[in-house]
Amino acid sequence: SSGINAEYGAVVRSSRCNHRICSLAISVMPEGLYKNVIATGLHTGAVWLWNSWNLQVVGHIPTNFSSPVLSLQFSYDSYSLVGGSEQGKLEVWTQGDPPS
């Protein structure tokens, strides 16, 4: 079986962000059909998207947050991303047409 062994797991990739990461979420689309991303919520109120394979930044989501992004969650189909800020603001982002 594949997966991470919590007792003997090893780091397989790492990257560095120049800002404090307060939250993250990982999309769960079928690999090969879609590119999965890791969304990170930063202390600046920004949301960055990272390639889940090489951990390179692939985009930024415009937000109206001026405080840390404390919560991020993809919808079950990874079409939408919901974020919540320290100031109690909630935003939902979608991209393009929903998958069929």
Side-chain angles (χ1 to χ4, degrees):
S1 76
S2 64
I4 297 174
N5 181 316
E7 187 175 352
Y8 301 108
V11 174
V12 293
R13 286 177 210 86
S14 67
S15 188
R16 182 123 182 105
C17 180
N18 293 329
H19 300 282
R20 188 174 59 234
I21 297 173
C22 299
S23 58
L24 65 84
I26 303 170
S27 65
V28 291
M29 297 297 288
E31 286 293 343
L33 298 176
Y34 300 93
K35 292 181 182 177
N36 282 306
V37 295
I38 300 168
T40 55
L42 307 180
H43 77 284
T44 62
V47 174
W48 289 9
L49 300 175
W50 305 70
N51 180 302
S52 63
W53 284 95
N54 63 18
L55 299 182
Q56 299 296 311
V57 175
V58 294
H60 302 87
I61 296 177
T63 75
N64 294 308
F65 296 149
S66 58
S67 63
V69 182
L70 299 181
S71 180
L72 287 172
Q73 179 69 46
F74 279 100
S75 60
Y76 74 95
D77 59 3
S78 294
Y79 173 69
S80 299
L81 178 65
V82 179
S85 77
E86 184 177 66
Q87 292 179 328
K89 291 183 180 179
L90 182 68
E91 291 187 7
V92 179
W93 307 284
T94 59
Q95 182 175 343
D97 296 325
S100 50

